Amino acid sequence: MNDTARRLVLIDGSSYLYRAFHALPPLSNDDGEPTGALFGVVNMLRATLKEKPDYVAFVVDAPGKTFRDELYPEYKANRPPMPDELRAQVQPMCEIVEALGMPILRVPGVEADDVIGTLAVQAAGDGIDVTISTSDKDFAQLVRPNGDGDGGGIALVNTMSGSRMDSEQAVIDKFGVRPGQIVDYLALMGDTVDNVPGVHKCGPKTAAKWLAEYDSLDGVIAHAGAIKGKIGDNLREALDRLPLNRTLVTIRTDVELEQGPAALALREAHNDALRALYTRYGFKQALKEIGGTGPEQDGAQQARAEQAGMRNTAAGYARTTAADDAELDPALAAAGSYDCVTTQAQLDDWIGRLRAAEEFAFDCETDSLDPMRANLVGLSFSTEPGAACYIPLAHDYPGAPAQLDRDAVLDALRPLLSDPQRRKLGQHGKYDLHVLRRHGVEVRGYADDTMLESFVYNATASRHDMDSLAKRYLGYDTVKYADVAGKGAKAIPFSQVALDDATGYAAEDADVTLRLHRVLAPKLAAVDGLERVYRDIEMPLVKVLERIEANGVMVDGDELRRQSAKLGRRMLAAQQKATELAGRSFNLDSPKQLGALLFDELKLPALVKTPKGQPSTNEEALEAIADQHELPRVILEYRGLAKLRSTYTDKLPEMVNPDTGRVHTSYHQAGAATGRLASSDPNLQNIPIRTEDGRRIRTAFVAPPGRKIVACDYSQIELRIMAHLSGDEGLVNAFASGADIHRATAAEVFGKTIDAVDGNERRAAKAINFGLMYGMSAFGLAKQLGVSRGEAQDYIALYFSRYPGVRDFMERTREQAREQGYVETVFGRRLYLEQIHARNQGLRAGAERAAINAPMQGTAADIIKRAMIDVDAWLSGQADGKGAAPALMVLQVHDELVFEVEANFVETLVAEVSGRMSAAAELRVPLVVDCGIGDNWEEAH
DNA sequence: ACAACTGCGTA
DNA sequence: GTACGCAGTTGTA
């Protein structure tokens, strides 16, 4: 880079404000003014100023129509209006920008994009090096390298993600096309946010492919006839509008501006004004920087953050740029500097470092995603940001270097890993705990898990895998598994990855985990109540879940295979019958073929639509036409049988672990936003129960000889939580009386005595009770009960008049969601509702329903998690002298715990478990637990 | 081989 | 109407 060149930074203010608004939790200052977006933007601005540009402009959109609106009236018609919380932050942002000494540009009738484009090209022409700071990929069309003759370069930085594009190659790497092709690329794809439709089904890959082949949009248009398949048809349909698209996505570089780049010199900051603004919004870090009187900050934390190449972890987000990485943190930029430990001396050195560390991060590399089958291939550790090692143990490929003996290494590490006093941390450590346990190392002192920190901090903000967390909280792109091992059919086992590559990947995992913890832990601690959810519920649960998964459940494969055979025979009969009724054969598994048959050939009415507007063939649709033709019934019969067979009776026997002879599900602790667990591989939380055929599958979940299956479930737990949260006297009393709650509700609503309630009334009351917990509408209830909407409305009105506390609770919850942006459980777990202010009425209504459901579903999840921890602790103390447990916890199904129990221990277990489950929370209503006992899960209900 | 879509099992 | 995971088809890579 030319050191003497003057530099101009053009900041796309609107794009940052929106990005920061959506990326950050809804922070506010002590006066309740929203500050989240402001905080993000201010941090970005401060980082920009540290680069000391000569010229700078903060560019925002001005109100009013632009040439794009003239050309295409639908332009941006889909845009929701600015949320109020964000709007409130615009004026303060402008004040801060002014006080920082940055010129603000807002040109009426010209979009900010075009102002930036014009200034960038002018300045580059004057030999100024231009950096456009934006998160909008459209600007890639302007990128040009500097130093190739006259004029400056134009680079793109995105400080949110830390990426920088300053050459043609960088753009090609990112998008697969040259800067000059970006407009054609965007024109083909379209932009849903701006309401610019492109070629249907043409995404980044397809657009780049076509441009690689035909070079330009004109080339693609000229060869549109040559492109085959459905997508070719889609292209030909869109041909007419592509030139317009190109105009719309082209950033103009020739608008008339009153000021040139030279007018944008950076001015002196007004520190007094800044101090006042920072104080008002509570930006302590920023205040300290300008010598304000903020509270003392944590020096150690700051030092760590700086070492990690991060700035400003106070309460918002951390960021890096590629440039910073190189400058501040060689370890991050150059992954090769991690240690690969292959000698005893290196191992001794690292064991010394681990011993000296207060806490360390660890991570296992294996040859399988299934922790119950995986073989340990290597281990990585990190003690400080940037300091990490990889210990390969079982890499096996031609020319692989000699490695330390696996068992010897594990023996050497065991004292550290098994010491409860030594704090260990990981990312999704339950997996590693399994692997190490199966290799003879019982990990104790597993103190922190970044996946769970992220989940508790904000369950909905992002995914909680390490790559996403690194991107989000460190602004850092990790080495991906596929980068070192390939993917799909070409993937090689990790044991065949070259040690160099393996070290770069694996040691980075431990390193990034450690850094993430240091960013996330303070964030979590800063939010009232979250630390306790994390520390008292989620972390203790890790070991409990590991144990349940390791226990597995005994499944009688032969029984399931017999059921499969029977189901198969009945499916065949149904299929033959269907063929006969249709007069031709067709694929019963194909909704498309079935739809064509029912609605086109047989002319049956299509009463239900799929979300995409096609005639649906789902259960509701088939039921609706079952009285007009025999075929729908037969299809329903076939579907029911096929579902049971493919999903359960065929699949479960395949899932039996050959080593243990049992089925080991995997529980996802960060699976459901409400705090519930999710189960997969296989999902054991959706084993059928409602139909007789389905329920039979549960007879295959058995206890070994001498043992019993005991199933303990909470009775009506979510409804009880609704009674607790609403405090409604009638509902609380109904539960206190111990009566059948739906019957009691029906009696109340229909003005009868409990004994006089008939089946229909009870059914209606039950539907209302459940509907309420899902935030239902009269429309939904009407559909459920098969009554008119008016009638359903009357039921609801009647219900609310009898249980006014419930109505108030619903309204309070909606209000809380709107005001705070989140709702919480009894134990303080938060659920943010990102769409609660959506302009789109459907999205907003959905968020309101979720807001109502989440406190109930989430509190129930918290309660059973607490019970599991307590029960597990009790059970762990019950083992006999040889360590054999008289009972194992084997399944959790949201409100139910299932145990495998020695016959002579059943009585004790039932008493202890039901007592502990009942005592897991103190509510205004009793928590009732029902326990069943049997030789299999079906009998235990 | 992979993604989108449709449909359906549980609490 | 809340919260999930999974199987099968279809169309494309």
Side-chain angles (χ1 to χ4, degrees):
Chain A
M1 194 194 286
N2 181 354
D3 289 341
T4 59
R6 290 162 299 158
R7 295 188 306 124
L8 164 67
V9 177
L10 294 165
I11 300 168
D12 183 0
S14 312
S15 106
Y16 273 111
L17 198 61
Y18 269 98
R19 279 288 298 270
F21 181 69
H22 291 294
L24 297 176
L27 307 171
S28 60
N29 67 3
D30 294 343
D31 298 336
E33 296 174 280
T35 60
L38 205 50
F39 183 78
V41 173
V42 167
N43 283 341
M44 184 275 295
L45 294 176
R46 289 168 48 223
T48 302
L49 290 176
K50 282 187 184 158
E51 312 282 329
K52 304 215 186 302
D54 303 285
Y55 310 100
V56 61
F58 189 86
V59 188
V60 291
D61 283 320
K65 292 212 175 302
T66 70
F67 85 96
R68 290 192 182 80
D69 296 297
E70 306 286 332
L71 256 166
Y72 179 51
E74 292 85 14
Y75 186 63
K76 295 194 177 178
N78 285 343
R79 281 263 169 108
M82 190 180 277
D84 290 344
E85 283 72 16
L86 183 53
R87 187 182 305 280
Q89 297 179 60
V90 173
Q91 185 54 34
M93 178 183 75
C94 292
E95 290 173 22
I96 292 176
V97 173
E98 291 275 7
L100 282 167
M102 289 187 187
I104 297 181
L105 282 185
R106 179 185 262 149
V107 184
V110 184
E111 272 186 77
D113 291 8
D114 301 320
V115 175
I116 292 173
T118 300
L119 284 170
V121 168
Q122 277 183 21
D126 294 346
I128 297 174
D129 273 328
V130 180
T131 299
I132 301 172
S133 183
T134 179
S135 52
D136 184 348
K137 63 179 185 322
D138 293 11
F139 281 100
Q141 61 188 270
L142 298 176
V143 168
R144 60 166 87 157
N146 66 358
D148 62 342
D150 49 313
I154 301 179
L156 220 58
V157 301
N158 177 353
T159 50
M160 300 288 285
S161 72
S163 65
R164 180 180 177 89
M165 268 182 267
D166 50 11
S167 64
E168 189 167 291
Q169 192 56 47
V171 175
I172 294 172
D173 289 347
K174 173 94 180 173
F175 299 107
V177 299
R178 301 187 305 274
Q181 294 171 305
I182 288 283
V183 287
D184 296 349
Y185 170 83
L186 295 170
L188 284 167
M189 283 196 297
D191 186 333
T192 41
V193 178
D194 289 349
N195 200 26
V196 177
V199 176
H200 190 51
K201 298 271 180 186
C202 172
K205 299 292 177 206
T206 308
K209 196 184 85 179
W210 287 345
L211 289 171
E213 191 158 359
Y214 304 114
D215 194 63
S216 66
L217 187 61
D218 293 331
V220 175
I221 292 172
H223 294 86
I227 293 170
K228 293 191 291 286
K230 186 101 175 180
I231 193 114
D233 294 338
N234 293 342
L235 169 61
R236 287 182 283 281
E237 266 169 42
L239 280 184
D240 281 353
R241 60 163 303 119
L242 291 177
L244 172 63
N245 280 10
R246 180 164 47 189
T247 310
L248 291 172
V249 301
T250 300
I251 293 170
R252 295 185 56 177
T253 58
D254 58 353
V255 296
E256 297 273 324
L257 296 176
E258 289 177 13
Q259 308 157 302
L264 304 174
L266 181 61
R267 299 188 290 260
E268 188 124 336
H270 302 290
N271 277 342
D272 289 345
L274 273 181
R275 242 187 299 280
L277 287 161
Y278 287 167
T279 305
R280 172 170 170 196
Y281 296 107
F283 298 155
K284 297 171 184 133
Q285 188 77 32
L287 198 53
K288 190 168 161 51
E289 191 178 73
I290 54 169
T293 47
E296 281 300 297
Q297 72 159 104
D298 176 350
Q301 168 68 25
Q302 178 64 14
R304 282 198 293 266
E306 278 169 8
Q307 184 178 357
M310 302 176 293
R311 298 199 187 106
N312 226 327
T313 60
Y317 70 101
R319 48 161 297 279
T320 65
T321 65
D324 288 344
D325 291 343
E327 176 183 328
L328 294 175
D329 194 353
L332 261 191
S337 70
Y338 293 129
D339 291 346
C340 181
V341 175
T342 53
T343 68
Q344 187 63 40
Q346 286 175 302
L347 180 63
D348 292 343
D349 173 51
W350 265 97
I351 287 179
R353 293 207 221 176
L354 296 177
R355 256 185 222 294
E358 240 172 74
E359 57 179 357
F360 61 82
F362 74 104
D363 186 46
C364 294
E365 301 305 330
T366 68
D367 57 6
S368 167
L369 283 173
D370 178 356
M372 290 299 296
R373 295 171 195 245
N375 294 302
L376 187 60
V377 172
L379 277 168
S380 50
F381 294 95
S382 173
T383 52
E384 282 298 324
C389 71
Y390 178 59
I391 312 175
L393 298 170
H395 285 255
D396 183 18
Y397 53 90
Q403 295 149 65
L404 292 166
D405 178 70
R406 188 166 78 183
D407 289 334
V409 169
L410 289 175
D411 286 343
L413 289 166
R414 187 176 292 103
L416 287 166
L417 291 170
S418 296
D419 182 349
Q421 302 305 317
R422 292 195 181 271
R423 299 172 63 83
K424 264 84 60 181
L425 54 104
Q427 158 71 17
H428 190 208
K430 175 159 64 68
Y431 176 91
D432 307 83
L433 263 50
H434 271 300
V435 171
L436 287 167
R437 175 182 48 74
R438 291 181 39 258
H439 288 79
V441 177
E442 193 67 39
V443 176
R444 296 191 195 86
Y446 185 60
D448 286 292
D449 192 305
T450 48
M451 178 184 79
L452 299 176
E453 285 174 329
S454 166
F455 177 65
V456 174
Y457 181 60
N458 187 344
T460 52
S462 68
R463 294 160 62 231
H464 308 285
D465 59 285
M466 203 192 67
D467 294 338
S468 309
L469 297 185
K471 188 89 180 159
R472 177 166 161 77
Y473 294 109
L474 304 175
Y476 176 62
D477 270 315
T478 52
V479 178
K480 306 297 185 298
Y481 184 82
D483 295 339
V484 295
K487 63 174 173 180
K490 290 192 289 281
I492 54 172
F494 200 78
S495 56
Q496 288 174 26
V497 173
L499 288 199
D500 274 359
D501 290 343
T503 301
Y505 169 82
E508 180 189 88
D509 271 7
D511 180 19
V512 169
T513 300
L514 187 82
R515 290 166 195 247
L516 279 170
H517 171 60
R518 296 200 176 170
V519 173
L520 283 166
K523 281 174 176 292
L524 201 59
V527 184
D528 244 11
L530 292 190
E531 179 85 32
R532 294 194 51 188
V533 172
Y534 170 74
R535 197 55 72 191
D536 299 346
I537 299 179
E538 299 300 352
M539 280 314 297
L541 190 66
V542 173
K543 263 284 186 186
V544 180
L545 294 179
E546 188 215 349
R547 244 188 298 272
I548 299 174
E549 293 176 1
N551 290 339
V553 61
M554 183 166 279
V555 168
D556 182 345
D558 291 337
E559 166 64 24
L560 290 174
R561 279 184 277 269
R562 281 193 293 276
Q563 291 188 22
S564 270
K566 285 188 185 167
L567 291 169
R569 283 193 283 277
R570 291 167 63 194
M571 281 165 67
L572 190 63
Q575 193 180 11
Q576 284 164 349
K577 179 88 179 170
T579 308
E580 194 182 307
L581 287 168
R584 66 177 176 88
S585 66
F586 66 102
N587 184 348
L588 278 73
D589 290 321
S590 164
K592 196 175 165 184
Q593 292 181 28
L594 178 61
L597 178 61
L598 292 175
F599 306 121
D600 296 342
E601 289 183 34
L602 299 175
K603 306 286 184 215
L604 290 164
L607 303 168
V608 185
K609 300 272 188 266
T610 68
K612 268 192 68 194
Q614 299 299 308
S616 173
T617 68
N618 68 12
E619 182 173 351
E620 187 194 343
L622 296 184
E623 284 289 353
I625 53 175
D627 53 353
Q628 299 177 43
H629 200 283
E630 279 185 74
L631 187 54
R633 261 275 99 74
V634 178
I635 297 291
L636 285 170
E637 159 88 1
Y638 173 86
R639 287 239 183 105
L641 300 169
K643 173 87 175 176
L644 294 179
R645 196 165 88 128
S646 66
T647 309
Y648 303 105
T649 62
D650 277 356
K651 201 58 39 134
L652 286 171
E654 290 173 20
M655 301 297 289
V656 174
N657 183 300
D659 296 335
T660 65
R662 301 166 70 103
V663 174
H664 306 269
T665 183
S666 174
Y667 288 105
H668 305 274
Q669 210 174 340
T674 51
R676 267 194 184 178
L677 298 177
S679 158
S680 69
D681 309 293
N683 181 352
L684 296 185
Q685 290 180 324
N686 72 344
I687 303 302
I689 193 168
R690 288 176 193 176
T691 67
E692 195 185 330
D693 286 329
R695 193 157 55 240
R696 196 172 297 123
I697 291 168
R698 295 190 171 217
T699 64
F701 286 73
V702 297
R707 295 191 155 218
K708 294 282 183 186
I709 294 292
V710 178
C712 304
D713 70 290
Y714 284 111
S715 162
Q716 306 293 356
I717 187 167
E718 292 189 15
L719 218 42
R720 286 171 198 269
I721 292 166
M722 185 166 88
H724 171 83
L725 288 171
S726 68
D728 183 277
E729 208 178 324
L731 203 54
V732 169
N733 288 340
F735 276 119
S737 76
D740 169 342
I741 189 65
H742 301 312
R743 192 165 285 278
T745 305
E748 192 67 43
V749 170
F750 298 112
K752 296 194 168 180
T753 65
I754 290 223
D755 298 330
V757 169
D758 69 29
N760 246 342
E761 289 162 340
R762 183 180 184 278
R763 195 173 64 90
K766 185 174 175 180
I768 297 177
N769 278 331
F770 278 104
L772 281 171
M773 292 190 299
Y774 298 148
M776 96 186 148
S777 61
F779 179 78
L781 181 67
K783 212 159 84 169
Q784 172 77 30
L785 287 175
V787 299
S788 76
R789 201 166 149 183
E791 236 173 309
Q793 188 55 59
D794 291 346
Y795 284 157
I796 294 173
L798 208 48
Y799 181 100
F800 280 146
S801 74
R802 299 296 178 186
Y803 299 110
V806 175
R807 183 191 51 217
D808 294 346
F809 162 67
M810 301 282 163
E811 202 31 61
R812 269 205 317 281
T813 306
R814 268 190 275 262
E815 256 169 49
Q816 193 200 350
R818 281 193 287 263
E819 282 169 15
Q820 304 180 154
Y822 66 86
V823 291
E824 54 195 350
T825 69
V826 169
F827 296 94
R829 182 191 302 278
R830 281 189 186 183
L831 178 77
Y832 290 95
L833 298 146
E834 295 176 359
Q835 302 288 4
I836 198 73
H837 293 292
R839 212 244 296 229
N840 179 312
Q841 125 96 358
L843 291 178
R844 195 175 62 243
E848 287 183 5
R849 290 192 298 271
I852 287 181
N853 180 255
M856 293 181 265
Q857 190 182 120
T859 299
D862 290 344
I863 290 175
I864 198 165
K865 283 176 169 180
R866 286 163 55 95
M868 291 165 75
I869 293 164
D870 191 34
V871 167
D872 175 79
W874 170 71
L875 273 180
S876 297
Q878 298 304 117
D880 66 20
K882 289 183 297 217
L888 303 173
M889 211 185 310
V890 294
L891 293 173
Q892 189 255 36
V893 193
H894 305 310
D895 64 358
E896 173 182 6
L897 296 176
V898 182
F899 301 85
E900 180 184 301
V901 191
E902 290 290 341
N904 64 11
F905 194 70
V906 166
E907 209 176 316
T908 311
L909 180 114
V910 167
E912 289 285 340
V913 169
S914 60
R916 284 161 200 276
M917 287 175 71
S918 297
E922 291 271 341
L923 304 183
R924 291 188 173 97
V925 293
L927 280 178
V928 172
V929 175
D930 300 319
C931 295
I933 303 155
D935 289 325
N936 59 60
W937 195 10
E938 198 272 331
E939 282 180 13
H941 259 108

